[in-house]
Amino acid sequence: MRDDNGRLTRRNLLRTTCQAGVAALLPVGLGSTPAFAAMPQRKNIDDLTPTELDNYKHAFKIIVQRGLASATAKDGYVWQAALHNDFERVRPDGSIGACEHRNELFFPWHRAHLAGFEALLRAADPPRTADVSLPFWDWTKPASGMRFPTAFEDRTSPLFHDGRAHAVTPLTRRIQWDADEIRIKMVQETDWLLFAGEPLAPDGSGGSYGWVEKGPHNTIHGDIGPTMGNPESASRDPIYWSFHAYIDLIWARWQRVHTSATSPQPFTTPNTKIWVEPFTPVMADTAQTATMPAGFAYGYQYDFSIDAPAVPVASAARTQRDLESVQAGPRMTTTGAVRVAGEKRRILRVRDVAVLPDTTYAIRAYVHPPAVNISTLGEQERQRYLADSATVWKGHGHAHHPTNVNFDITNAVTALGNEFTVTLTSDAKPTSDSQFESARASANERIAQRPLWGTLSLEER
């Protein structure tokens, strides 16, 4: 809508187009400040111009200062971080909870959280901040700094945070995930629920990790340092937003390959409310970045051509059978010999995986000849049989419920032939610190005192 002089003003734009609480995000008294520019385009933080980075830091600092002035200000950092971190938070509908993990809401919830925060950044101090967007950190490439993009290692910047492991040591490795694993295994995955996670039951039980969450998401959170390694503090670290912007970009890549006007984004419960106040969309609102509610849409400056078109997969009957455990000990389970026939896709499903309140741990799935005993092999020897792995982030939210973890063992089974054995092992992953080895030993003692998973089954399709 235009004003009496024919000018398109932000006040009139908000009055006529903003939905789902957008008006509540923006400061009052904007008068005839020019409206937001074109839909935000998120860029790699290493590709920002000096001016773009300065404007991002300026907007970020304003939001932090608002939070320091009032912890209940919805446009302040304390409130926005608590949307993710505070699992005792009472939502407007009376439910209790924070971020969503270990289920299909993982991607939509975080997309909404980031989009709401991005709107705050743009409204922080216009016109200077009107074009600000959330930059992503591409953690499939070598860091431009020691362990992180240089923008996060400047100690004078509002993007710096002490609760990270900034130095490269034998225990704090450089962070870089395999880009081919993301491009091939994750983006090309045709099954939405394997990619994103299964939905929760009404009582909060069930669910599962998707490929992205069980892999780079859960692993890198802990690798970054103590703040990001704890789900009850993660978004206090400014790197959270850029880390998760790349998680969201992986979903956007998946959508470009697998969704279209005739094949829309599949959601099991599209009307589920997402509480990231003042932005309160439903799951369906997050179906595409460019069709988010008015004021929250965005895109990515990214070379999407690296992702091949989807390969049609003929639907096939699925069979599933339980696998018998013949050897079970602390932090390890081995099945009996498994016999298969034909070339099929094979998913190892591990049910009732414990989500521990104080320990993040890794599960490794080995597929090996029945005559091989994984427990007698050294770490390097084991690697030849490693089929897949997962990181189980320590408890938050639905921590009293176990979850489910899937492993794609197709290639490993194909390499071995028609008979094999599966061994699962676990190993604690304490947050990087100077006492890493002693902390891991202590954590491994704790997790050895209880079963970490229930039944194993093989799904063939």
Side-chain angles (χ1 to χ4, degrees):
M1 179 182 294
R2 300 181 182 273
D3 64 9
D4 294 338
N5 297 316
R7 294 173 301 191
L8 184 64
T9 66
R10 181 174 296 163
R11 184 183 298 277
N12 287 335
L13 182 66
L14 289 174
R15 183 180 300 132
T16 59
T17 65
C18 289
Q19 302 168 3
V22 179
L25 286 168
L26 303 176
V28 297
L30 294 180
S32 58
T33 304
F36 287 147
M39 183 172 68
Q41 296 295 309
R42 295 178 181 174
K43 298 171 62 174
N44 188 323
I45 193 165
D46 287 325
D47 294 337
L48 296 181
T49 66
T51 298
E52 288 171 333
L53 180 58
D54 283 345
N55 290 343
Y56 177 57
K57 292 190 293 186
H58 177 66
F60 201 97
K61 186 175 181 179
I62 289 173
I63 294 174
V64 170
Q65 290 172 334
R66 287 181 190 155
L68 294 175
S70 172
T72 59
K74 291 184 175 61
D75 59 356
Y77 201 85
V78 172
W79 178 276
Q80 289 296 309
L83 293 173
H84 181 282
N85 301 337
D86 184 3
F87 293 95
E88 301 302 319
R89 191 176 75 88
V90 180
R91 300 168 176 143
D93 66 347
S95 62
I96 297 174
C99 57
E100 292 289 345
H101 293 90
R102 309 191 299 277
N103 73 85
E104 186 188 14
L105 271 168
F106 169 71
F107 281 114
W109 190 96
H110 287 85
R111 175 167 286 181
H113 192 209
L114 268 61
F117 188 74
E118 189 168 57
L120 290 176
L121 292 170
R122 287 161 66 78
D125 185 22
R128 178 177 177 181
T129 61
D131 295 325
V132 166
S133 60
L134 276 176
F136 62 85
W137 165 26
D138 184 349
W139 29 259
T140 68
K141 296 179 178 179
S144 56
M146 290 292 291
R147 295 189 78 228
F148 311 108
T150 53
F152 294 107
E153 295 185 350
D154 176 4
R155 290 181 174 272
T156 67
S157 170
L159 305 181
F160 184 83
H161 183 69
D162 280 325
R164 296 184 206 132
H166 285 276
V168 176
T169 73
L171 300 178
T172 54
R173 61 181 178 81
R174 295 185 185 276
I175 296 171
Q176 185 177 358
W177 202 266
D178 184 358
D180 285 341
E181 181 184 350
I182 291 173
R183 181 176 57 85
I184 298 170
K185 176 180 178 179
M186 299 177 191
V187 174
Q188 291 298 319
E189 174 58 64
T190 57
D191 187 326
W192 163 246
L193 296 183
L194 285 177
F195 173 77
E198 299 160 8
L200 293 173
D203 66 355
S205 63
S208 70
Y209 287 121
W211 296 147
V212 180
E213 189 177 7
K214 82 178 181 73
H217 174 270
N218 289 358
T219 305
I220 298 176
H221 254 286
D223 288 344
I224 291 171
T227 303
M228 278 284 282
N230 185 343
E232 296 182 351
S233 64
S235 57
R236 294 178 196 165
D237 186 340
I239 209 169
Y240 161 87
W241 308 98
S242 292
F243 169 73
H244 260 284
Y246 196 73
I247 295 284
D248 183 73
L249 173 55
I250 296 173
W251 182 22
R253 290 168 61 184
W254 185 91
Q255 291 179 306
R256 289 176 70 95
V257 172
H258 300 285
T259 68
S260 64
T262 57
S263 180
Q265 167 66 52
F267 284 140
T268 305
T269 56
N271 294 320
T272 299
K273 197 77 167 176
I274 300 175
W275 297 106
V276 286
E277 311 95 280
F279 187 30
T280 56
V282 295
M283 196 173 181
D285 290 330
T286 69
Q288 298 289 338
T289 66
T291 59
M292 295 276 282
F296 297 99
Y298 61 93
Y300 282 101
Q301 286 192 18
Y302 185 78
D303 180 12
F304 290 96
S305 68
I306 67 170
D307 296 318
V311 177
V313 177
S315 59
R318 300 183 184 184
T319 62
Q320 189 164 309
R321 50 174 157 155
D322 289 342
L323 302 182
E324 179 187 7
S325 297
V326 297
Q327 179 183 350
R331 303 171 31 231
M332 180 178 287
T333 295
T334 299
T335 70
V338 182
R339 293 175 177 81
V340 296
E343 292 188 6
K344 298 180 180 180
R345 189 168 189 199
R346 295 181 168 96
I347 305 297
L348 176 68
R349 296 191 176 273
V350 184
R351 298 305 183 193
D352 298 325
V353 175
V355 179
L356 304 179
D358 57 357
T359 303
T360 295
Y361 65 97
I363 302 176
R364 296 179 178 87
Y366 298 94
V367 173
H368 54 90
V372 170
N373 186 341
I374 287 292
S375 65
T376 65
L377 302 182
E379 192 60 39
Q380 277 192 318
E381 293 176 290
R382 290 184 182 189
Q383 285 298 115
R384 64 183 295 191
Y385 301 118
L386 182 62
D388 199 0
S389 62
T391 297
V392 181
W393 205 12
K394 64 182 178 180
H396 51 87
H398 310 289
H400 57 290
H401 290 298
T403 190
N404 304 302
V405 182
N406 300 313
F407 299 90
D408 191 338
I409 62 172
T410 304
N411 291 339
V413 171
T414 300
L416 277 182
N418 61 2
E419 186 176 39
F420 61 92
T421 294
V422 173
T423 294
L424 293 185
T425 69
S426 62
D427 190 32
K429 293 177 64 68
T431 300
S432 302
D433 61 22
S434 60
Q435 305 298 320
F436 181 87
E437 290 298 343
S438 61
R440 181 168 65 178
S442 175
N444 277 332
E445 288 180 7
R446 290 198 303 273
I447 67 176
Q449 295 173 7
R450 58 162 299 170
L452 292 180
W453 48 74
T455 59
L456 279 62
S457 62
L458 180 67
E459 179 183 285
E460 297 181 291
R461 54 172 85 178

